[in-house]
Amino acid sequence: MIQKAISWLGIFFLSTLSLLPLFILYLLADVFYVVIYHGFGYRRKVVRENLMNAFPEKSLSEIDTIEKKYYKFLASLIFEVIKMKSISKKELQKRVKFKNVDLVEAYLKNNESVLFCSSHYGNYEWVCMAIGMAFPGEHYPIYKPLSNEIFDNWFFNMRSRFGNRMVAMRQTLRAIQASKGTPNMFTFGSDQAPSKDESNYWTTFLNQETSVQLGIEKIAKKTNRPVFYLKINYLKRGYFEVDCVPICLHPKETAEFEITEMHTRFLEEMIKAEPAYWLWSHRRWKYKPEQKTSTSTSNNEQITA
């Protein structure tokens, strides 16, 4: 009961905070940056290790610059996510613009469905939320449910405000089967680390041996849906441009792991170009190749949004 009460109190606080205009939330984010970076040093060791391993060619001063820029962005991102509870359609459409929409619409208007490949880059939450308004057809973001049911329901309702049909990762195949009669879009996160037991494919990513989810490739090849990468460009604080880049239009013609390598390389180049806007505080490399098991990839293995 105490845990539930704390959760509801937290949701009430965040929902109230969301009502503040963004310019005030950004002022709070500036203070929050000082607290998490200079005060508590939130996961600074993880971020520093990730950056140094990913960019061994960079000097310590360059790493330090990226690190500070990342924490400033992270602080803003946290308050932008809180704002999702009350942000209007008009405000979100002003702040998230899409390019090459016509390439995707051509498939949807032809009664064909597409797969979107995304990542924890830029404000991926705003982008996913905005897709439900930017394209015709139903949008199904794949997500990993939170362990706290109260907060999971809060996030679910918040992410669904503008038409998104959220799908828990274990229900992906069922949702694809149930929706195959209508043109739609399923959005997957390409950079979510698999569990140790599901680390069955390894590749070099950002200078490190990295396990990669195979879910998006399996679904693309099974359904032959074209794969578009949502390339998020950070324009300025609170403003993003999303380029819908086709990376594989004929999945059934590809070799094994080819699609997985395509979206992995695409993300790698995106991060190298602007490294501060990826989620460096995530423990992406906590498993090593020698720790993987021989368990085969599950049919239910999916990628979270």
Side-chain angles (χ1 to χ4, degrees), residues 147-208:
S147 57
N148 185 308
E149 185 177 353
I150 294 174
F151 272 99
D152 182 60
N153 289 334
W154 188 71
F155 269 99
F156 182 94
N157 293 330
M158 191 165 64
R159 289 164 167 166
S160 306
R161 287 183 60 218
F162 300 143
N164 288 335
R165 296 171 175 255
M166 306 303 297
V167 177
M169 57 188 298
R170 296 291 180 183
Q171 302 299 318
T172 304
L173 294 180
R174 183 178 300 175
I176 288 177
Q177 184 69 20
S179 63
K180 67 179 182 179
T182 58
N184 56 62
M185 302 153 286
F186 275 73
T187 295
F188 300 81
S190 65
D191 57 347
Q192 185 73 27
S195 66
K196 182 170 66 173
D197 290 340
E198 294 178 330
S199 296
N200 298 295
Y201 180 73
W202 294 80
T203 188
T204 302
F205 172 67
L206 292 175
N207 200 49
Q208 298 162 86

Side-chain angles (χ1 to χ4, degrees), residues 11-29:
I11 286 175
F12 174 77
F13 172 74
L14 294 175
S15 298
T16 303
L17 192 62
S18 175
L19 298 174
L20 295 173
L22 270 168
F23 78 89
I24 294 181
L25 292 179
Y26 284 137
L27 291 176
L28 294 175

Side-chain angles (χ1 to χ4, degrees), residues 102-283:
D102 57 315
L103 299 181
V104 177
E105 286 185 338
Y107 286 95
L108 299 174
K109 290 177 179 178
N110 196 38
N111 206 36
E112 298 178 64
S113 298
V114 303
L115 302 180
F116 284 143
C117 195
S118 187
S119 57
H120 294 88
Y121 188 93
N123 193 329
Y124 47 91
E125 290 283 5
W126 274 12
V127 169
C128 193
M129 194 179 190
I131 292 174
M133 300 183 292
F135 298 88
E138 296 175 342
H139 178 223
Y140 297 83
I142 311 303
Y143 76 103
K144 183 178 182 179
L146 301 175
S147 57
N148 185 308
E149 185 177 353
I150 294 174
F151 272 99
D152 182 60
N153 289 334
W154 188 71
F155 269 99
F156 182 94
N157 293 330
M158 191 165 64
R159 289 164 167 166
S160 306
R161 287 183 60 218
F162 300 143
N164 288 335
R165 296 171 175 255
M166 306 303 297
V167 177
M169 57 188 298
R170 296 291 180 183
Q171 302 299 318
T172 304
L173 294 180
R174 183 178 300 175
I176 288 177
Q177 184 69 20
S179 63
K180 67 179 182 179
T182 58
N184 56 62
M185 302 153 286
F186 275 73
T187 295
F188 300 81
S190 65
D191 57 347
Q192 185 73 27
S195 66
K196 182 170 66 173
D197 290 340
E198 294 178 330
S199 296
N200 298 295
Y201 180 73
W202 294 80
T203 188
T204 302
F205 172 67
L206 292 175
N207 200 49
Q208 298 162 86
E209 285 301 299
T210 307
S211 60
V212 183
Q213 294 269 15
L214 296 173
I216 191 168
E217 175 170 321
K218 287 189 170 188
I219 290 173
K221 297 187 76 167
K222 183 180 180 65
T223 63
N224 204 34
R225 297 184 181 191
V227 181
F228 288 80
Y229 207 105
L230 298 177
K231 182 183 180 183
I232 302 175
N233 299 304
Y234 180 94
L235 302 179
K236 62 180 181 179
R237 195 180 210 182
Y239 289 86
F240 304 88
E241 181 183 73
V242 187
D243 192 358
C244 303
V245 182
I247 61 170
C248 184
L249 299 181
H250 306 286
K252 285 191 175 180
E253 298 176 9
T254 61
E256 187 179 18
F257 306 131
E258 186 175 349
I259 295 174
T260 300
E261 284 295 328
M262 284 178 180
H263 67 67
T264 300
R265 296 306 139 221
F266 194 97
L267 174 60
E268 186 175 52
E269 291 306 311
M270 197 164 69
I271 294 171
K272 286 180 178 179
E274 288 286 352
Y277 307 123
W278 192 52
L279 199 61
W280 292 103
S281 48
H282 176 52
R283 291 187 174 92

Side-chain angles (χ1 to χ4, degrees), residues 53-72:
N53 289 339
F55 304 109
E57 75 284 0
K58 293 187 182 296
S59 65
L60 284 177
S61 62
E62 289 175 308
I63 294 293
D64 189 60
T65 298
I66 296 171
E67 184 180 86
K68 289 178 180 176
K69 193 175 180 180
Y70 165 69
Y71 274 97
K72 288 178 181 177

